């Protein structure tokens, strides 16, 4: 098996790498230089195919113990002859777009755009290279392109398991969650974790979104705030969680990881990690490519197909029976026997939502189809108001729970 990883410094005169965190926390992206190739001889004989040339473009460090590392580890786990190139640290979307296009121009067989934020760029680049397979995630839509595969995790499944286990550990009844930007698999994981913790008996799950995927200092501050508010178990998602894990370690507070196995960050305190095994769906994509299908399909990793795995830390002693029950729960979630949807807020049977009837907003479709009712598990009453002031008065009186686009034109 042949693995090649050639790293070169990616630099540009007059540019400073700026990511979600500070300059110090967002190093300049590192890119792989294209390996030296020899032109194929002029012959009609079938050439030796050689290794499959795969490139990964990722937003953070390839060893971040989170999102980017999950893909690097997964490609390395494939049982194929692969020549792997990596460009990481591409917090700046323009840098990622340049790397994606560069790999396609260089003749790579498969280019993995590992970041939801890279989607718009990929939609412009992929049509220019119809013979290259692109994989994009986390995403559930290929945008109608025949050479793009999409992939996403059912992160709420492992989140639910982690949350349920966390409920067995908390003594204060309060659990803290450190999230990045409220989007993608981060939201799914956090929602699942919260639902599992409440189902497991926790009193309160406090969630903080820092607004950054990479700001380690903000993650640490959020974790400290949770501890100040009586949280005695923590979790979080995205590459910035190393800051939060550091706070957990300093205060002997249990931590639950996701995306990659984070045990090495706090060997005695990481209870379990939901690990993304993308190789499960990557192999399906490559098999399709072998048969001539270069894209056009979306894939999901979950507990049932083995793409999501709860990896327990054997060094952390769980209460008696908890791990066995968690293992049973994992199986039952995979079969659909356990409902991981968030329960309706305690004591709330219905939700009153104010909106402007005159405005053609997307919520009116969901209103007719009762989408929110189904997801929330309660009755949503949509009440039309003539003005934002009337909405405010209704909210003040307690008649309205939520105002939709209060006083602001949504287009």
């Amino acid at each position: 098996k042949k693995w090649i990883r050639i790293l070169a410094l990616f630099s540009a005169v007059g540019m400073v790498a700026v990511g979600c965190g500070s300059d110090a926390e967002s190093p300049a992206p590192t890119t792989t230089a294209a390996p030296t190739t020899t032109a194929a001889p002029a012959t009609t004989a079938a050439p030796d195919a050689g290794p499959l040339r795969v490139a990964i473009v990722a937003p953070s460090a390839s060893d971040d113990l989170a999102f980017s590392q999950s893909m690097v580890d997964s490609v390395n786990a494939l049982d194929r002859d692969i020549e792997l190139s990596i460009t990481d640290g591409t917090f700046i979307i323009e840098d990622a777009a340049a790397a994606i296009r560069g790999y396609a121009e260089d003749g790579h067989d498969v280019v993995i755009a590992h970041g939801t934020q890279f989607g718009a760029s990929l939609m412009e680049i992929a049509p220019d290279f119809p013979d290259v397979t692109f994989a994009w995630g986390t995403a559930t839509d290929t945008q109608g392109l025949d050479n793009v595969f999409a992939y996403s995790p059912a992160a709420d499944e492992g989140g639910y398991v982690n949350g349920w286990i966390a409920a067995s550990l908390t003594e204060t009844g309060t659990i803290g969650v450190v999230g990045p930007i409220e989007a993608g698999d981060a939201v799914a994981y956090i929602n699942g974790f919260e639902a599992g913790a409440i189902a497991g008996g926790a009193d309160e799950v406090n969630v903080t979104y820092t607004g950054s995927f990479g700001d380690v200092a903000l993650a640490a501050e959020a974790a400290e705030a949770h501890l100040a508010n009586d949280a005695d178990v923590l979790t979080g998602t995205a590459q910035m969680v190393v800051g939060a894990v550091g706070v957990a370690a300093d205060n002997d507070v249990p931590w639950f990881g996701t995306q990659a196995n984070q045990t090495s960050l706090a060997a005695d305190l990481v209870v379990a990690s939901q690990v993304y095994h993308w190789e499960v769906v990557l192999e399906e994509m490559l098999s399709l490519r072998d048969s001539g299908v270069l894209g056009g399909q979306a894939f999901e990793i979950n507990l049932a197909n083995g793409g999501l795995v709860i990896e327990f830390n054997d060094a952390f002693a769980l209460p008696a029976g908890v791990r066995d029950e968690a293992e049973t729960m994992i199986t039952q979630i995979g079969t659909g026997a356990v409902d991981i949807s968030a329960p309706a807020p305690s004591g709330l049977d219905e939700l009153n939502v104010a909106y402007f009837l005159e405005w053609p907003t997307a919520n009116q479709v969901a209103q007719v189809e009762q989408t929110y009712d189904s997801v929330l598990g309660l009755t949503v009453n949509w009440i039309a108001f003539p003005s934002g002031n009337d909405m405010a008065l209704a909210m003040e009186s307690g008649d309205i729970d939520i105002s939709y686009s209060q006083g602001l034109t949504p287009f």
Side-chain angles (χ1 to χ4, degrees):
K1 189 170 186 179
K2 177 181 177 186
W3 304 97
I4 299 177
R5 183 166 184 256
I6 307 170
L7 297 180
L9 180 64
F10 181 83
S11 62
V13 177
M15 292 182 64
V16 177
V18 179
C20 295
S22 67
D23 292 345
E25 292 149 1
S26 301
T30 57
T31 71
T32 58
T36 302
T37 59
T38 302
T43 175
T44 57
D48 180 9
L52 185 73
R53 299 184 67 199
V54 177
I56 299 173
V57 178
S60 53
S62 57
D63 59 353
D64 64 357
L65 290 175
F67 185 69
S68 293
Q69 183 170 337
S70 71
M71 181 54 72
V72 174
D73 289 348
S74 294
V75 172
N76 283 330
L78 290 169
D79 188 18
R80 286 176 175 257
D81 186 11
I82 290 177
E83 178 184 301
L84 177 60
S85 301
I86 304 169
T87 295
D88 59 6
T90 55
F91 285 98
I92 300 174
I93 293 177
E94 290 76 10
D95 289 344
I100 293 168
R101 181 173 290 278
Y103 282 129
E105 290 175 341
D106 187 51
H108 279 71
D109 302 301
V110 179
V111 179
I112 302 173
H114 193 50
T116 304
Q117 64 270 41
F118 303 155
S121 300
L122 186 62
M123 295 312 109
E124 295 180 2
I125 297 169
D128 295 339
F129 303 93
D131 296 328
V132 177
T133 290
F134 295 89
W136 170 46
T138 59
T140 58
D141 187 359
T142 65
Q143 301 295 320
L145 296 175
D146 293 335
N147 62 333
V148 173
F149 288 119
Y151 57 87
S152 63
D156 53 335
E157 293 184 352
Y160 189 94
V161 177
N162 277 358
W164 185 86
I165 298 172
S168 73
L169 299 177
T170 179
E171 296 179 359
T172 65
T174 301
I175 299 172
V177 181
V178 180
I181 294 172
E182 195 170 356
D185 62 317
V187 173
Y189 173 75
I190 290 171
N191 288 346
F193 184 95
E194 182 175 11
I198 297 301
D203 297 326
E204 188 175 11
V205 178
N206 296 326
V207 179
T208 299
Y209 284 99
T210 66
S212 169
F213 286 105
D215 197 320
V216 175
L218 279 180
E221 290 175 9
E224 290 169 349
H226 283 311
L227 297 185
N229 285 286
D230 293 329
D232 59 354
V233 180
L234 294 174
T235 191
T237 180
Q239 56 269 25
M240 50 76 178
V241 296
V242 292
V245 178
V247 171
D250 290 341
N251 293 273
D252 294 324
V253 170
W255 174 268
F256 287 83
T258 188
Q259 298 179 330
N261 192 317
Q262 296 171 353
T263 302
S264 62
L265 293 175
D268 297 328
L269 292 169
V270 174
V271 182
S273 298
Q274 171 178 238
V275 180
Y276 292 178
H277 287 273
W278 297 113
E279 65 268 24
V280 171
V281 293
L282 288 175
E283 182 54 47
E284 291 187 58
M285 296 177 197
L286 295 181
S287 294
L288 285 169
R289 188 181 186 282
D290 292 342
S291 68
V293 179
L294 302 187
Q297 298 184 32
F299 297 85
E300 178 186 83
I301 55 172
N302 51 52
L303 292 175
N305 64 20
L308 295 181
V309 176
I310 302 299
E311 297 184 5
F312 291 90
N313 177 12
D314 293 333
F316 189 96
L318 285 167
V322 169
R323 179 163 176 170
D324 289 340
E325 290 186 54
E327 297 279 12
T328 299
M329 178 179 290
I330 291 168
T331 300
Q332 292 177 334
I333 290 174
T335 62
V338 171
D339 181 10
I340 65 171
S341 59
S346 177
L348 190 64
D349 298 321
E350 59 183 17
L351 191 68
N352 296 321
V353 181
Y355 74 108
F356 288 114
L357 181 62
E358 293 82 1
W359 290 353
T361 50
N363 66 293
Q364 294 177 39
V365 176
Q367 174 185 348
V368 172
E369 297 178 353
Q370 296 186 322
T371 304
Y372 296 109
D373 305 61
S374 176
V375 172
L376 294 173
L378 48 78
T379 300
V380 179
N381 301 313
W382 294 87
I383 304 171
F385 281 81
S387 71
N389 185 56
D390 290 333
M391 283 187 182
L393 292 174
M395 291 185 72
E396 184 177 358
S397 69
D399 294 333
I400 292 297
D401 301 302
I402 298 175
S403 288
Y404 186 91
S405 293
Q406 182 180 8
L408 299 175
T409 304
F411 48 82

